[in-house]
Amino acid sequence: MIRLLILIVCSLSCHCLSAQTVITGTVSNKSDGKPLGGTTVTIKEKAAVLVYGVTNEKGDYKLSFKSEEDSLQLTVAGLNFKKQTLMFANKSQNLNFAITSETIKLKEIKIKPPKIRQLNDTLNYLVDAFSDQNDRSIGDVLKKMPGITVKEDGAIFYNNKPINKFYIENKDLLQGRYGIATNNIQAKDVATVQVLENHQPIKALKDKEFTDEGAINLKLKDGAKGVLTANAQLGAGASPVLWNNELTSMYFNKDRQNMNAYKGNNSGLDAGAELASFYGGSGGASQSGSLYVQSPSSPGISQKRYLFNRSHAATVNNLWAYDKDFQVTANVNYLNDNQEKESYSRSVYYLPGDSMLTIEESLASTKQINSLDGSLQINANRDKYYMDNTLRFNGKWTAEKGNVLNGSELVQRLNSPAFSLNNNFSIIRNYKKATLKVYSYNAYSQAPQTLKVQPLLYPELFNQPGASDIMQQYLRESQFSSTSRVVYGLDHGSFKHNYGVGFNANLQNFRSDLQSLSDAGVLSGADDSLKNDIQWNTYEVFISPDYSYTKNKLRASLNLPLTYNYLNVVDRFADHDKNSGRLFFNPSFSLRYELTLLWNVSFRAQRSNSIGGLSNGFSGYILQSYRSLVRNESDLPERQAQSYSLDVSYRHPLHAIFFNFGTSYSKNKSNLLYGYDYSGIRSQQRTYNLTNYNEGYNLFGKISKGIDVIASTLVIDVNYSGSKASQISQGEIVNFRNENYGVNPSISTRIKKLGSLSYSYQYNRSKNKTAQGEKFSPINSIRQRGQFNFFPAKSMTLNMSLEHFYNSAIRGENGADQSMYFADLGARYTWKRIEFNLEYNNVFNTKQYISASYSDISTFYTSYILRPAQVMMKVRFKVL
């Protein structure tokens, strides 16, 4: 039986083997006969693949299969070799192939990187994806990036919050004056704009002190690194004779950064605007004095339309990096500016008894400014150690003359130099579970001022007014400030607590004389009521414990500062020296919760107490301007303030959408109420010991969205704000309420390679009313701006822009229309390394801009004299 079974199995195996087809062979290169390994051999039955294999390194293959077909198809194919096909009979055999080489053209594949790419807490904006032919500077491109906002003054916001640092290749060269970079670094030299979210600039405080503010870092292209570049511009125009010249140079590498610029013009551009610093918290006494010339305020339109100027500005900025964590920075800035303004204004003040005081003036002013400032910073920024010492100086010399026509001519002259010097020093040291921080700040400033007003407007104040025709107010302020603080922090994982102690001293000297001046230049003797000679010293000792807790998606912090304030006042004329001490408790609480990776919500509450300073303490008369005579007649103001804010934000970088919604509320309590008594054009401040409250509230929302389908960025900004307060007018209390509504959509888009288009619409509604039932007519205002850029060739750009302004409070007075229009034309042509730029501004030759607005219980109507239509040709060329 066993033998029979073995015989049956062998018979079946032989049958199966006889049905199996085996094909073997070798594949070689026809040109040289060498075997080809890695070649694919495929056998098909009709259209279906039956079996396939790959030749070995000797070019041999072996394929076994079973098929009932009489003939089959064999294909040999290899990379860069011509495919060869053969029909063969279905039987075991040896088939060899000699194939020929063939060049294969691969289809071009373009990989398009995303416009915005996220890596941890860093967003990378691809500059080339947002720029077009019309964009010269990186600032032009920043305005188009979703989530980033560039204000009209040049300040940069990310997700509706101001940035706390601006870097170029991870280095802070400009120390807050980043307008120098955004207006002068060419967009074509920047590869990526990075947003560093929740940026803590001090490495030693990373994961110890949280911030929800972002920072900007420019990543340059390789061709812009380690190369000294210099560009110049020469510009000339007409109506009147115009000029606009520039010279810039820059150099960026790993160990050295340098950026210098000179700009000068008389065409209405503020050459000193780039020198403004946008970093807050630098401290120091204010350099703006107490006296001022009544002059036209700046209207809400582009400065190039109303500013008559002759400006020169220069800046030199250097940074030396000795390793990646240690650097020295030096910055010097100079401004020489002459500005002329002219306007007509009508101010209407609400008075009790349904009466109104109307003041009409024609104002003209000439202002000469010379300023020089600089800083030297030494900074070490390491993970366990931080040291910074920054020395700053500032000198400013301002002379201003103003003419006023209100039935008769009045002349004002102000001479206002100012000087300040300060030094800021800080050290932070990390230990295993502790952090030590030492901080010291010292500053000195002085500001002497002299204001002359002709004719004499307050004769009742002087002993011999008949022999005088000029009032002269002299004022000298000097101040020394010093702050020292030591903080010791402990780290217990999720829970951290810091304990700080410190001391502040603020020593001020204040002297003033108000006198009459005869035509011969002889000053009259001033009465004691027209003088001030005060030494105002404030000393503070404080302890400041703060606690923070971080767990998963929750961050909470509580600050509990306790301050003892001691005031020492020596008043040599009022003969009422004062010594007082007060204890203040100013707590604050903040909470942030990340709902998801995309959503987060923040809440903040704060209470504060404060007492008035020197500006509220002098008792002798001071002529602040020809219309304002001020003295303090009561105790120092004491204020209690509370504020609350809630913010919800969403951002999805992959979909290029950023959203913010928030609300805030504040309430203040004060022991004093201020009022004004009016007599013709003159006003005199009065102080009353009356407890009063004022409230403010705000609601806002903003969405920014990049739309790739139409190559656009869409922004919608809405807001609502209101306030309630009190004021005394002619001895009576007036309670008033103000409300403002606003909506501002805008869009910028590229039209393939043909051009680009931008449009913005801004609507605002303002209304005031008093508790006595007096309602002011609401003011509706609209501002629209559209610009179209056409690219007929790669080397040519044509521009056309149109602006429309509407104000409902302008009712045809003096022939004025409620709507105003402005148009500009431009053409740019590039030839080799030279760029020609032709500009035609104010095409309609609009000669005045009219605005109307509310402030407290007053309305203001102003007509500004504008620059005429002007044509300018600019030639920009590369020096290096």
Side-chain angles (χ1 to χ4, degrees):
M1 181 62 70
I2 294 174
R3 291 178 179 176
L4 180 60
L5 289 175
I6 293 173
L7 181 61
I8 294 173
V9 170
C10 290
S11 301
L12 291 173
S13 298
C14 292
H15 176 76
C16 292
L17 288 173
S18 65
Q20 192 85 6
T21 303
V22 179
I23 304 296
T24 60
T26 301
V27 179
S28 61
N29 190 334
K30 186 175 183 179
S31 62
D32 56 15
K34 293 182 179 180
L36 295 176
T39 305
T40 303
V41 182
T42 306
I43 295 177
K44 292 183 179 180
E45 181 182 62
K46 296 182 179 178
V49 175
L50 198 60
V51 66
Y52 71 93
V54 179
T55 59
N56 59 20
E57 59 184 9
K58 295 180 179 181
D60 298 333
Y61 71 93
K62 181 179 180 180
L63 299 176
S64 301
F65 59 91
K66 181 180 178 182
S67 176
E68 300 295 331
E69 296 292 331
D70 294 334
S71 61
L72 301 167
Q73 177 181 298
L74 187 147
T75 301
V76 179
L79 185 63
N80 292 331
F81 284 91
K82 187 175 181 180
K83 182 168 65 174
Q84 197 173 117
T85 301
L86 174 70
M87 298 298 296
F88 68 96
N90 186 5
K91 63 179 181 179
S92 297
Q93 55 185 302
N94 188 68
L95 298 175
N96 298 322
F97 294 88
I99 60 178
T100 58
S101 60
E102 179 184 45
T103 301
I104 300 176
K105 292 185 179 180
L106 298 177
K107 292 184 178 179
E108 181 182 0
I109 300 176
K110 291 185 178 181
I111 300 175
K112 189 177 181 181
K115 290 184 176 182
I116 306 175
R117 181 171 54 89
Q118 181 174 8
L119 181 62
N120 298 324
D121 282 345
T122 301
L123 302 186
N124 295 274
Y125 291 76
L126 194 63
V127 172
D128 290 342
F130 291 95
S131 62
D132 59 53
Q133 188 172 307
N134 188 60
D135 299 323
R136 177 187 290 118
S137 70
I138 188 61
D140 296 330
V141 186
L142 284 170
K143 297 174 183 178
K144 304 177 182 180
M145 295 178 170
I148 297 176
T149 303
V150 181
K151 302 290 187 179
E152 290 190 5
D153 61 357
I156 299 176
F157 283 61
Y158 168 68
N159 219 11
N160 224 28
K161 293 183 176 65
I163 62 172
N164 59 15
K165 286 290 182 181
F166 185 95
Y167 300 108
I168 304 172
E169 287 293 320
N170 302 305
K171 293 179 174 60
D172 187 6
L173 166 67
L174 301 170
Q175 299 294 302
R177 303 177 191 270
Y178 52 72
I180 301 170
T182 57
N183 290 314
N184 294 291
I185 294 180
Q186 297 187 65
K188 65 180 183 180
D189 291 333
V190 183
T192 307
V193 172
Q194 292 184 326
V195 173
L196 314 177
E197 296 184 310
N198 307 322
H199 178 62
Q200 172 55 262
I202 300 176
K203 295 179 182 179
L205 296 181
K206 188 177 181 181
D207 300 326
K208 295 181 182 293
E209 292 187 8
F210 175 78
T211 174
D212 60 357
E213 296 174 332
I216 294 288
N217 180 42
L218 302 185
K219 300 294 290 183
L220 304 178
K221 295 179 179 178
D222 291 339
K225 299 177 187 177
V227 178
L228 176 62
T229 61
N231 295 280
Q233 174 184 283
L234 298 175
S239 187
V241 177
L242 303 174
W243 49 271
N244 189 328
N245 303 322
E246 297 180 8
L247 178 63
T248 61
S249 69
M250 58 193 74
Y251 177 80
F252 305 102
N253 74 357
K254 183 179 179 181
D255 302 322
R256 173 84 185 273
Q257 290 190 358
N258 171 269
M259 195 166 185
N260 309 312
Y262 160 78
K263 295 193 176 184
N265 75 92
N266 70 341
S267 57
L269 300 177
D270 185 0
E274 296 178 5
L275 306 183
S277 176
F278 297 106
Y279 288 174
S282 59
S286 173
Q287 290 198 14
S288 58
S290 303
L291 311 182
Y292 61 93
V293 166
Q294 200 77 28
S295 63
S297 57
S298 299
I301 58 175
S302 175
Q303 203 170 50
K304 69 179 182 179
R305 304 208 184 279
Y306 67 87
L307 182 61
F308 294 83
N309 68 321
R310 295 188 307 278
S311 300
H312 303 271
T315 179
V316 178
N317 306 275
N318 285 281
L319 182 147
W320 299 269
Y322 296 98
D323 59 45
K324 67 176 182 178
D325 298 324
F326 184 82
Q327 64 185 38
V328 177
T329 308
N331 311 84
V332 179
N333 307 282
Y334 173 73
L335 174 66
N336 171 265
D337 197 3
N338 292 270
Q339 299 181 358
E340 297 179 4
K341 297 179 183 179
E342 189 175 349
S343 73
Y344 161 81
S345 70
R346 184 177 70 249
S347 305
V348 180
Y349 300 91
Y350 171 81
L351 303 179
D354 295 330
S355 61
M356 298 285 182
L357 171 65
T358 301
I359 299 176
E360 295 187 73
E361 301 170 310
S362 293
L363 302 174
S365 71
T366 301
K367 189 174 185 179
Q368 298 177 341
I369 303 171
N370 284 279
S371 68
L372 177 68
D373 67 80
S375 65
L376 177 64
Q377 181 194 47
I378 301 174
N379 181 276
N381 194 1
R382 299 186 173 95
D383 293 334
K384 293 186 177 181
Y385 175 78
Y386 175 84
M387 186 280 293
D388 182 273
N389 191 87
T390 304
L391 177 67
R392 295 185 177 92
F393 70 89
N394 188 297
K396 188 174 184 179
W397 301 265
T398 303
E400 187 171 5
K401 179 182 177 181
N403 293 331
V404 181
L405 289 176
N406 49 13
S408 61
E409 185 176 8
L410 185 144
V411 179
Q412 315 162 77
R413 287 183 175 88
L414 175 65
N415 185 30
S416 181
F419 168 79
S420 70
L421 180 70
N422 66 73
N423 190 80
N424 200 332
F425 174 76
S426 58
I427 286 180
I428 300 173
R429 175 72 179 183
N430 278 338
Y431 300 93
K432 287 185 178 181
K433 289 188 175 292
T435 300
L436 179 65
K437 294 184 282 187
V438 179
Y439 174 84
S440 176
Y441 174 80
N442 295 278
Y444 175 78
S445 66
Q446 65 177 22
Q449 291 183 283
T450 303
L451 174 65
K452 294 181 181 180
V453 177
Q454 187 180 15
L456 194 73
L457 297 179
Y458 302 87
E460 67 275 10
L461 298 176
F462 303 98
N463 296 326
Q464 299 175 326
S468 304
D469 189 42
I470 300 175
M471 293 184 297
Q472 176 174 287
Q473 176 70 68
Y474 170 77
L475 186 149
R476 186 182 188 275
E477 300 176 79
S478 63
Q479 177 177 349
F480 173 75
S481 302
S482 181
T483 298
S484 298
R485 182 171 67 245
V486 178
V487 180
Y488 184 73
L490 296 173
D491 189 343
H492 297 289
S494 298
F495 181 66
K496 299 176 179 64
H497 43 115
N498 301 293
Y499 302 93
V501 295
F503 173 77
N504 296 332
N506 191 20
L507 313 179
Q508 296 174 269
N509 285 290
F510 184 89
R511 295 185 59 187
S512 71
D513 290 286
L514 177 57
Q515 298 174 286
S516 61
L517 181 67
S518 68
D519 293 336
V522 179
L523 288 169
S524 67
D527 188 83
D528 285 356
S529 65
L530 306 180
K531 294 182 179 180
N532 289 286
D533 191 350
I534 304 174
Q535 185 174 339
W536 191 282
N537 300 330
T538 304
Y539 307 92
E540 290 182 340
V541 179
F542 60 87
I543 58 173
S544 180
D546 66 81
Y547 307 90
S548 63
Y549 177 79
T550 304
K551 188 69 174 180
N552 297 329
K553 301 178 180 180
L554 176 69
R555 298 179 186 269
S557 64
L558 177 65
N559 196 351
L560 304 172
L562 188 65
T563 303
Y564 177 74
N565 179 292
Y566 179 76
L567 176 64
N568 168 249
V569 178
V570 179
D571 192 331
R572 296 178 178 86
F573 286 105
D575 195 24
H576 62 268
D577 296 351
K578 183 175 183 179
N579 295 280
S580 64
R582 299 294 301 273
L583 187 66
F584 295 129
F585 178 55
N586 301 324
S588 64
F589 172 75
S590 64
L591 179 71
R592 175 186 170 95
Y593 185 74
E594 296 181 2
L595 301 173
T596 67
L597 291 175
L598 306 177
W599 287 91
N600 68 73
V601 59
S602 301
F603 171 77
R604 182 174 177 82
Q606 183 176 5
R607 290 182 62 91
S608 63
N609 300 270
S610 62
I611 190 169
L614 176 57
S615 60
N616 308 113
F618 60 83
S619 56
Y621 282 106
I622 290 183
L623 185 70
Q624 290 186 330
S625 75
Y626 86 89
R627 281 173 49 182
S628 179
L629 186 66
V630 177
R631 73 183 300 188
N632 295 292
E633 306 169 311
S634 187
D635 297 330
L636 289 177
E638 296 184 20
R639 300 182 180 90
Q640 297 177 354
Q642 52 184 308
S643 61
Y644 309 90
S645 64
L646 178 69
D647 182 85
V648 179
S649 66
Y650 170 87
R651 91 280 187 280
H652 198 311
L654 186 61
H655 293 163
I657 184 169
F658 299 82
F659 170 76
N660 272 96
F661 168 80
T663 183
S664 63
Y665 171 79
S666 64
K667 185 175 183 179
N668 303 318
K669 175 184 176 183
S670 178
N671 63 324
L672 300 182
L673 189 60
Y674 293 95
Y676 297 89
D677 290 345
Y678 297 96
S679 176
I681 63 173
R682 306 181 308 177
S683 66
Q684 186 171 337
Q685 178 181 287
R686 295 291 186 185
T687 310
Y688 301 85
N689 285 298
L690 292 173
T691 300
N692 62 94
Y693 299 86
N694 63 75
E695 297 178 73
Y697 36 90
N698 183 43
L699 188 68
F700 68 89
K702 184 172 185 177
I703 184 170
S704 178
K705 177 72 174 76
I707 309 174
D708 289 345
V709 177
I710 55 175
S712 303
T713 299
L714 174 67
V715 179
I716 301 176
D717 193 347
V718 296
N719 63 81
Y720 165 77
S721 63
S723 64
K724 293 189 291 185
S726 302
Q727 183 176 301
I728 294 181
S729 180
Q730 302 293 81
E732 294 188 24
I733 298 177
V734 178
N735 300 310
F736 60 91
R737 179 173 180 171
N738 172 264
E739 290 184 331
N740 284 280
Y741 311 81
V743 58
N744 181 18
S746 63
I747 187 170
S748 62
T749 184
R750 285 187 299 174
I751 309 171
K752 296 184 178 180
K753 295 183 179 181
L754 297 177
S756 61
L757 176 69
S758 64
Y759 173 77
S760 65
Y761 177 91
Q762 183 176 341
Y763 169 80
N764 187 75
R765 179 180 175 88
S766 176
K767 62 180 183 178
N768 276 23
K769 65 179 180 180
T770 67
Q772 288 77 8
E774 178 72 21
K775 291 185 178 181
F776 299 85
S777 299
I779 296 178
N780 299 299
S781 61
I782 296 173
R783 177 181 180 178
Q784 300 182 78
R785 186 179 192 278
Q787 178 167 328
F788 175 64
N789 308 304
F790 176 53
F791 313 139
K794 189 175 181 180
S795 59
M796 177 172 284
T797 302
L798 303 178
N799 312 105
M800 180 180 68
S801 65
L802 180 67
E803 285 184 289
H804 167 233
F805 295 87
Y806 168 83
N807 193 304
S808 63
I810 303 170
R811 296 181 174 87
E813 303 180 42
N814 298 327
D817 195 346
Q818 290 180 318
S819 290
M820 289 157 284
Y821 297 88
F822 300 93
D824 302 315
L825 298 175
R828 184 192 305 171
Y829 177 74
T830 303
W831 178 70
K832 296 183 178 180
R833 299 172 61 179
I834 303 176
E835 177 186 284
F836 300 91
N837 195 345
L838 179 63
E839 296 178 354
Y840 181 18
N841 293 322
N842 195 6
V843 175
F844 301 145
N845 199 26
T846 306
K847 297 182 178 180
Q848 65 177 354
Y849 171 80
I850 300 174
S851 69
S853 62
Y854 287 131
S855 176
D856 299 334
I857 55 174
S858 309
T859 60
F860 300 95
Y861 169 95
T862 308
S863 172
Y864 300 88
I865 305 301
L866 301 181
R867 299 181 66 93
Q870 59 186 43
V871 178
M872 175 169 283
M873 170 64 78
K874 300 177 184 178
V875 181
R876 181 181 294 270
F877 52 93
K878 197 175 184 65
V879 179
L880 294 175

